[in-house]
Amino acid sequence: MIQITARVPDPVVTALDAAAQRTRRSRAEIVRIAVTRYLEDFDDIAVAIDRLCDPSDSTLQWDQVRHALLDRD
């Protein structure tokens, strides 16, 4: 496993220490979890943005979707 160094503001370190103490985890574990979740979200958002920017991808109007959902029975 590679070790990295990052500078963070004092209030973030205080919050990190509080979270680590409350969850009985190390600072490193909290940071690993946070970075992993951030990158998963980032990947999801990047895919969504790519799809939104793709002119060949069809879009639906809200009225059409609403009508289709309400008329399901």
Side-chain angles (χ1 to χ4, degrees):
M1 189 177 305
I2 296 173
Q3 183 175 350
I4 63 170
T5 302
R7 294 183 187 274
V8 294
D10 291 345
V12 174
V13 174
T14 300
L16 175 60
D17 288 341
Q21 184 177 17
R22 188 167 184 186
T23 60
R24 295 190 176 113
R25 295 181 177 184
S26 67
R27 273 185 181 175
E29 188 174 0
I30 299 287
V31 170
R32 270 194 302 276
I33 292 167
V35 170
T36 300
R37 289 182 182 173
Y38 174 86
L39 293 174
E40 288 169 354
D41 289 347
F42 182 84
D43 286 342
D44 291 343
I45 291 168
V47 168
I49 290 171
D50 288 345
R51 289 181 181 168
L52 285 171
C53 294
D54 182 358
S56 67
D57 194 7
S58 62
T59 58
L60 300 172
Q61 297 298 320
W62 169 243
D63 291 337
Q64 294 172 315
V65 173
R66 185 173 183 270
H67 180 70
L69 289 173
L70 293 175
D71 290 342
R72 289 178 62 181
D73 44 338

